[in-house]
Amino acid sequence: MAGAIASRMSFSSLKRKQPKTFTVRIITMDAEMEFNCEVLDHDVPKEEPVTFHFLAKFYPENAEDELVQDITQHLFFLQVKKQILDEKISCPPEASVLLASYAVQAKYGDYDPTVHKRGFLAQEELLPKRVINLYQMTPEMWEERITAWYGQHRGRARDEAEMEYLKIAQDLEMYGVNYFAIRNKKGTELLLGVDALGLHIYDMENRLTPKISFPWNEIRNVSYSDKEFTIKPLDKKIDVFKFNSSKLRVNKLILQLCIGNHDLFMRRRKADSLEVQQMKAQAREEKARKQMERQRLAREKQMREEAERTRDELERRLLQLKDEATMANEALMRSEETADLLAEKAQITEEEAKLLAQKAAEAEQEMQRIKATAIRTEEEKRLMEQKVLEAEMLALKMAEESERRAKEADQLKQDLQEARDSERRAKQKLLEITSKSSYTQPMNSGSTALPADMPTFNLISESLSFDFKDTDMKRLSMEIEKEKVEYMEKSKHLQEQLNELKTEIEALKLKERETAMDILHSENNERGSSKHNTIKKLTLQSTKSRVAFFEEL
């Protein structure tokens, strides 16, 4: 990373009578530098303990390509995040929500509704106060929108989420720009912006869109004399242009920034040194190792989840079988009770049929006896015939009743047989359920165990040779072009998402709370202008015309 590694140091006691020194090590793209600084050379506050913040002085053009080590990326992410929250880097509301979702992913990992419940972001500082005050939205509403985007980042590790954050932040207009108040020859108050791409001139009221830009490859020399600062273009035919700053120490700082950014600008456009190539190769190997480790953990997690699902399914099936067994037992008991009742009723019916048959036989005997008895008189004969008729009718009724009782007895016997068949089937089903349950237990006991022979991955580092040839340069160029195409596609998708979020929250915006920066963001968005295409358009103008325009401001 270009610039100092961001860190935090505290000194519990500093006595001004005894100057203290500290050592600062700066790691640049291809070298390490170490120097001693005397603490009292700086504006050190008198309070104790004294806290020093070591921050990146030079910002990378492409964070993904230039931030090689994870610790460098993490500390630079913290620095940029704090600058956005402190509004030192202006950020549109919709981009602020997206950046907040990546910051949450970096801190909390994958979204889990059972863990990350409503209100879990209540104590987090994720959005600039300007954005919060601009909309008529509660903290719960902001959390809901951040969480909606946060859930889409599932599977990203901390370093990946931080890099996505930086890739969005580096496209913001104020990213990496150091502003200084200056005056041109006419005494017009302007702002000078120094960043990784070049020098830019701004109006005092507009820090987003430069009026003039000079890329580093068009600048030959920069120098200052007292408060006057001189910039010499690469084209010697074009006159130098000058401006005045407020203090001499400001010119010293501007010169340091110009020299450092110009040097890094030119280095980025050359082939990497052997040391940087080795660092990048080691970083790629480490990244591949971490990716393999994440994939292994993901597979283990998936297998564990599948095992838990299988166990839950087996437990559910076991409970279902137990319920079925209970129901089968109850049905068996009801069948046995029904069979007993039918058997008892059949026995009673059979006895009644026998009794009726006996009475019918007695009536038949009585009829025969009456017929055998001779009654001489007509009256006796008529009475006899009437009795005979009544006896025949009674015998017929008894015979019908006996037949009906016999049929009823046969039906009861048939019902009894069916009840016994039902009882036999219920017993058979109970035996089947019992046998299934006996197989379920061993399956359940082994369902959560993970395979013991899990594949392992060993990284063997081999010696690397670095011999840059034409083929290597062509391959590198092709890779860069491919990455550019992929980046443009992702940027298009990202812009669509940001526009969608902006449409959602636009109705809740409080127009009276809009700041000048918000209005400038809106105007740039309506014109479709961005940081890079604005600078590109400005640099298409001739250097001479830009210098003349600066003098006329």
Side-chain angles (χ1 to χ4, degrees):
M1 176 189 135
I5 291 182
S7 60
R8 182 184 178 101
M9 299 176 61
S10 296
F11 297 85
S12 58
S13 62
L14 289 174
K15 296 182 179 179
R16 294 187 178 272
K17 294 182 180 180
Q18 299 178 356
K20 303 292 183 179
T21 63
F22 60 91
T23 299
V24 176
R25 173 167 293 178
I26 295 181
I27 300 177
T28 63
M29 293 178 65
D30 56 2
E32 288 190 6
M33 296 180 289
E34 186 175 303
F35 57 90
N36 294 326
C37 299
E38 192 168 299
V39 175
L40 298 183
D41 285 346
H42 303 270
D43 295 331
V44 180
K46 296 180 181 180
E47 300 85 24
E48 295 183 3
V50 180
T51 301
F52 292 88
H53 296 273
F54 293 91
L55 304 175
K57 187 174 184 179
F58 304 108
Y59 286 66
E61 283 184 44
N62 186 343
E64 188 173 19
D65 183 57
E66 297 179 45
L67 302 184
V68 178
Q69 297 181 347
D70 288 344
I71 182 62
T72 308
Q73 173 186 307
H74 176 63
L75 293 172
F76 187 65
F77 158 76
L78 295 177
Q79 175 179 338
V80 174
K81 176 186 171 186
K82 181 168 178 58
Q83 287 179 332
I84 290 175
L85 294 177
D86 293 344
E87 300 182 25
K88 293 179 180 178
I89 298 177
S90 181
C91 183
E94 59 274 12
S96 300
V97 175
L98 179 58
L99 290 174
S101 67
Y102 279 115
V104 174
Q105 176 72 19
K107 181 174 182 179
Y108 290 96
D110 288 343
Y111 175 64
D112 186 352
T114 60
V115 177
H116 307 120
K117 297 182 179 179
R118 188 180 182 89
F120 78 105
L121 298 178
Q123 304 301 320
E124 298 289 341
E125 185 182 5
L126 298 171
L127 298 171
K129 289 183 174 59
R130 174 183 60 84
V131 174
I132 296 175
N133 295 331
L134 184 58
Y135 292 88
Q136 195 173 2
M137 295 173 63
T138 63
E140 292 76 16
M141 295 170 70
W142 284 116
E143 180 179 322
E144 181 182 352
R145 280 160 175 77
I146 294 173
T147 306
W149 285 57
Y150 168 38
Q152 299 179 16
H153 306 327
R154 186 173 186 81
R156 293 185 185 273
R158 189 196 75 172
D159 56 334
E160 294 175 335
E162 290 177 349
M163 180 52 66
E164 291 299 324
Y165 187 103
L166 292 175
K167 284 161 67 176
I168 296 171
Q170 71 186 6
D171 289 333
L172 298 175
E173 289 85 348
M174 295 176 66
Y175 165 84
V177 182
N178 291 281
Y179 296 93
F180 301 94
I182 61 171
R183 293 175 183 270
N184 62 3
K185 288 183 179 180
K186 289 188 175 183
T188 306
E189 293 186 353
L190 300 168
L191 285 175
L192 173 69
V194 185
D195 68 358
L197 299 175
L199 297 175
H200 316 286
I201 307 298
Y202 299 84
D203 285 334
M204 292 296 290
E205 296 80 14
N206 186 354
R207 296 189 177 210
L208 299 183
T209 308
K211 305 292 287 184
I212 314 170
S213 287
F214 296 93
W216 292 119
N217 57 354
E218 294 183 5
I219 297 175
R220 176 165 53 94
N221 180 264
V222 291
S223 61
Y224 71 90
S225 175
D226 196 17
K227 296 181 181 180
E228 186 179 71
F229 204 94
T230 304
I231 298 176
K232 295 181 181 180
L234 190 63
D235 189 351
K236 295 182 180 180
K237 296 179 181 179
I238 302 174
D239 294 335
V240 300
F241 68 98
K242 303 178 181 181
F243 58 82
N244 295 314
S245 62
S246 57
K247 297 179 182 178
L248 176 62
R249 59 185 298 182
V250 172
N251 276 346
K252 290 182 179 180
L253 179 56
I254 294 174
L255 183 62
Q256 291 176 3
L257 289 172
C258 289
I259 293 173
N261 277 305
H262 180 272
D263 182 51
L264 292 172
F265 180 86
M266 302 309 292
R267 288 189 194 183
R268 292 185 188 107
R269 282 143 184 84
K270 296 179 182 178
D272 292 334
S273 65
L274 182 61
E275 184 177 359
V276 173
Q277 292 178 30
Q278 290 175 346
M279 289 175 63
K280 288 186 176 181
Q282 291 175 358
R284 283 194 296 269
E285 290 178 359
E286 181 66 16
K287 187 176 181 180
R289 185 189 66 78
K290 288 184 178 180
Q291 183 66 22
M292 294 292 292
E293 180 68 15
R294 282 196 291 267
Q295 291 176 358
R296 184 183 66 81
L297 293 175
R299 286 196 299 269
E300 290 182 357
K301 183 178 179 181
Q302 183 179 2
M303 293 175 64
R304 191 179 301 110
E305 290 176 351
E306 290 178 355
E308 290 176 354
R309 283 196 298 270
T310 304
R311 181 193 63 192
D312 294 340
E313 177 63 23
L314 290 175
E315 290 178 352
R316 187 188 65 79
R317 181 61 181 161
L318 179 60
L319 291 175
Q320 183 179 354
L321 291 174
K322 286 181 179 179
D323 292 340
E324 291 180 358
T326 302
M327 293 174 64
N329 276 327
E330 293 176 355
L332 178 60
M333 292 176 63
R334 288 195 300 270
S335 299
E336 289 176 351
E337 291 175 358
T338 304
D340 293 341
L341 290 174
L342 290 173
E344 183 178 354
K345 190 173 181 181
Q347 184 178 0
I348 294 172
T349 305
E350 190 175 355
E351 290 176 356
E352 289 179 351
K354 289 180 179 179
L355 182 58
L356 289 172
Q358 184 179 356
K359 288 184 177 180
E362 291 176 354
E364 183 67 25
Q365 290 177 3
E366 180 66 19
M367 184 183 66
Q368 293 296 332
R369 187 181 63 79
I370 291 172
K371 284 182 178 180
T373 305
I375 302 174
R376 298 184 179 278
T377 63
E378 283 295 325
E379 185 64 26
E380 288 177 346
K381 186 178 180 181
R382 186 179 61 78
L383 292 172
M384 185 62 67
E385 288 177 355
Q386 185 176 357
K387 287 182 180 181
V388 170
L389 182 59
E390 290 176 357
E392 287 179 351
M393 290 179 65
L394 180 60
L396 183 60
K397 288 181 180 179
M398 288 183 178
E400 290 176 355
E401 182 68 16
S402 176
E403 184 178 355
R404 187 180 66 78
R405 290 291 183 173
K407 289 181 179 179
E408 187 175 350
D410 292 338
Q411 182 64 37
L412 289 173
K413 288 180 180 179
Q414 185 178 355
D415 293 344
L416 177 61
Q417 185 64 32
E418 290 178 356
R420 288 174 178 170
D421 292 341
S422 175
E423 178 183 354
R424 186 172 63 257
R425 286 193 300 271
K427 287 181 179 179
Q428 185 177 357
K429 185 174 182 181
L430 181 61
L431 290 174
E432 291 176 358
I433 293 171
T434 307
S435 62
K436 286 182 181 178
S437 301
S438 64
Y439 285 111
T440 304
Q441 298 300 326
M443 288 176 66
N444 186 22
S445 62
S447 61
T448 58
L450 294 174
D453 55 346
M454 186 63 113
T456 58
F457 177 76
N458 294 322
L459 256 178
I460 303 175
S461 300
E462 299 180 356
S463 60
L464 300 172
S465 62
F466 298 92
D467 186 12
F468 250 157
K469 298 181 180 180
D470 292 342
T471 55
D472 296 330
M473 292 302 294
K474 290 179 181 178
R475 178 177 56 79
L476 181 60
S477 299
M478 292 176 64
E479 290 179 358
I480 292 173
E481 289 299 324
K482 182 179 178 181
E483 290 176 357
K484 283 183 179 179
V485 173
E486 293 177 353
Y487 175 74
M488 291 300 292
E489 292 178 353
K490 291 181 180 177
S491 297
K492 184 178 179 181
H493 177 64
L494 177 62
Q495 193 60 42
E496 292 175 355
Q497 288 181 304
L498 292 175
N499 290 335
E500 181 181 349
L501 177 62
K502 183 179 180 181
T503 304
E504 288 180 7
I505 63 177
E506 189 66 24
L508 301 173
K509 181 185 286 187
L510 298 173
K511 295 290 185 181
E512 63 274 10
R513 295 186 183 177
E514 277 190 320
T515 62
M517 202 66 71
D518 294 321
I519 296 173
L520 290 172
H521 274 301
S522 300
E523 291 176 352
N524 287 345
N525 189 44
E526 290 175 0
R527 289 195 301 266
S529 61
S530 64
K531 172 182 178 180
H532 298 287
N533 61 30
T534 301
I535 295 175
K536 186 176 180 181
K537 288 178 182 178
L538 291 173
T539 53
L540 290 176
Q541 304 171 6
S542 66
T543 307
K544 185 175 183 179
S545 63
R546 277 178 275 160
V547 173
F549 183 70
F550 171 74
E551 300 293 345
E552 294 297 326
L553 285 175

